[in-house]
Amino acid sequence: MTTPVTIIGAGLGGLVLARVLHVHGIEATVYEAEPSPDARRQGGLLDLHPGSGQAALKSAGLFEEFRKLILPGRETYRVLGQAGNVLLDLPDDGTGERPEAPRGELRQLLLDSLPDGTVRWGHKVTAVRALGEGRHEVGFADGATVVVGPLVGADGAWSRVRPLLSEALPEYVGVCSVETFLFDCDTRHSASAEAVGAGSLFALAPGRGLLAHREGGGTLHTYAQLRKPQEWFAHFDTTGAAALTARVVKEFDGWAPELTALITDSDTPPVLRPVFTLPAGHSWDRVPGVTLLGDAAHLRAPNGEGANLAMQDGAELGQAIAAHPDAVEAALTAHEQGMFARVAAVEADDDDFYTIMIDDAAPHSLLALMTGTELAS
């Protein structure tokens, strides 16, 4: 190819695409809104699945490097009651196939694998318009523009590229999360650290729950999940840390102190994260010169598949372009057909884990799912 591939978004999917293209000698440019690689925390742990996330890293030639990032013992899962009593404890016996690795370190691995200058930081895309014949003009917040050939939107839930292909918009699913972090947990937050254990914790009740996991370096990363209408936070100043903390912990009144401390003792300001999804089965007709991957294409509620699918999208699109370097439209068509079928299969097999965690039968519904037993009527 003589025309570089332009990728909007330096998330895992976009970076895997850039890396696979680089492996095959194809130039790519990635435009990213964030000013630098370390401008913000890059989420928590990711469990990489063999057929998607791990396969993508193999295609990128980075699987052995990835293995060095794996945190041992993190495939441990514990379910607690509101009083802190253990309802289920599944230790990591070393036979799991979905190892956990820090998302930020995985992203840095991908960044380090690309030639200098591949990622253009501080380039926030504000608009994209079609020019015809598969070419597009990309506009940035600083007023600059660039005309590009093959264009890939890997820019997440609120993609600026998606409107070229689809009128679909993300919709709120009725659940929001408030994210917190406790550092140096074994020394400074020992009771909470003991409650969480070696891996992941689920402390659940109807309409609310605490999801926490132990990251590297003694960090506890927690999401307080709440089933709330959008009005619950729409007119609330969520930037006020103390007020947001007080409002959230009120929803867990009477819970064990080692659990509520995951909210109240946060070493970072709490961050509200409403959960949005695109319609199930989201697809579009082929539009010359442009496509999507990851959350820009198939945003779903967190279910352990999102990052894995995004990485698989990036790897398979990169391979398709490498296989058809003189026929980009054939490559984009193959990518979309494969992605639509793959996502449809995942959606059909979705056990609705995210909703089950805090449904009206919580925590018993999750216990039944995790143990393969029938939920008592």
Side-chain angles (χ1 to χ4, degrees):
M1 289 183 63
T2 57
T3 304
V5 176
T6 299
I7 303 164
I8 309 300
L12 296 180
L15 293 176
V16 166
L17 170 58
R19 168 64 184 180
V20 171
L21 291 174
H22 174 63
V23 167
H24 290 279
I26 298 172
E27 184 179 352
T29 300
V30 182
Y31 291 102
E32 169 55 45
E34 293 178 357
S36 67
D38 55 358
R40 66 177 177 88
R41 297 186 69 93
Q42 295 297 315
L45 298 184
L46 286 178
D47 58 325
L48 274 292
H49 304 178
S52 50
Q54 293 183 42
L57 291 172
K58 290 177 181 177
S59 298
L62 297 173
F63 185 72
E64 292 306 316
E65 292 301 309
F66 154 72
R67 288 176 59 85
K68 300 175 185 177
L69 304 180
I70 295 172
L71 296 178
R74 294 317 194 272
E75 290 184 85
T76 294
Y77 302 98
R78 176 178 288 178
V79 181
L80 299 187
Q82 300 175 37
N85 51 309
V86 178
L87 303 175
L88 180 68
D89 200 7
L90 300 175
D92 184 351
D93 61 3
T95 63
E97 296 183 341
R98 298 180 173 186
E100 302 268 5
R103 186 188 189 107
E105 293 184 21
L106 180 58
R107 186 195 195 210
Q108 191 61 51
L109 171 64
L110 288 162
L111 288 170
D112 292 343
S113 74
L114 298 172
D116 291 343
T118 298
V119 180
R120 311 287 176 86
W121 300 99
H123 283 71
K124 180 179 176 61
V125 175
T126 55
V128 184
R129 68 184 183 97
L131 301 177
E133 299 183 351
R135 296 179 67 75
H136 296 83
E137 180 186 78
V138 180
F140 301 100
D142 63 359
T145 61
V146 61
V147 175
V148 303
L151 175 65
V152 181
D155 47 343
W158 305 102
S159 171
R160 293 291 188 173
V161 180
R162 188 192 302 122
L164 295 170
L165 299 160
S166 167
E167 296 181 354
L169 292 172
E171 297 181 355
Y172 179 59
V173 303
V175 176
C176 61
S177 295
V178 175
E179 184 181 24
T180 62
F181 290 88
L182 273 63
F183 302 137
D184 193 15
C185 63
D186 293 307
T187 301
R188 299 177 56 241
H189 308 284
S190 57
S192 296
E194 185 176 350
V196 172
S200 296
L201 159 75
F202 304 88
L204 310 171
R208 57 190 50 78
L210 296 171
L211 285 63
H213 56 252
R214 182 184 287 264
E215 296 184 355
T219 295
L220 298 182
H221 186 181
T222 301
Y223 292 94
Q225 308 277 93
L226 296 171
R227 191 172 63 205
K228 294 290 184 181
Q230 205 160 2
E231 293 74 21
W232 186 80
F233 58 83
H235 305 294
F236 178 69
D237 180 9
T238 58
T239 62
L244 179 57
T245 297
R247 195 170 200 201
V248 172
V249 78
K250 184 178 178 181
E251 300 290 330
F252 297 89
D253 186 40
W255 287 45
E258 63 269 27
L259 297 178
T260 57
L262 293 167
I263 305 168
T264 59
D265 292 0
S266 179
D267 292 312
T268 61
V271 178
L272 178 72
R273 300 193 183 281
V275 179
F276 289 83
T277 68
L278 285 169
H282 178 236
S283 63
W284 54 87
D285 295 329
R286 176 92 285 280
V287 174
V290 59
T291 192
L292 305 172
L293 61 78
D295 283 350
H298 44 75
L299 175 69
R300 306 300 297 161
N303 60 2
E305 298 288 350
N308 283 278
L309 284 175
M311 294 170 67
Q312 187 175 9
D313 291 346
E316 296 198 2
L317 175 54
Q319 290 171 324
I321 293 173
H324 304 280
D326 299 319
V328 173
E329 282 306 304
L332 300 186
T333 298
H335 156 69
E336 290 179 351
Q337 290 176 346
M339 179 175 63
F340 294 156
R342 181 167 62 251
V343 173
V346 169
E347 290 176 347
D349 194 42
D350 188 359
D351 55 19
D352 207 17
F353 183 86
Y354 194 76
T355 302
I356 283 175
M357 285 190 293
I358 55 173
D359 68 11
D360 289 342
H364 306 292
S365 45
L366 181 66
L367 290 169
L369 181 66
M370 295 179 74
T371 59
T373 58
E374 293 290 331
L375 180 63
S377 58

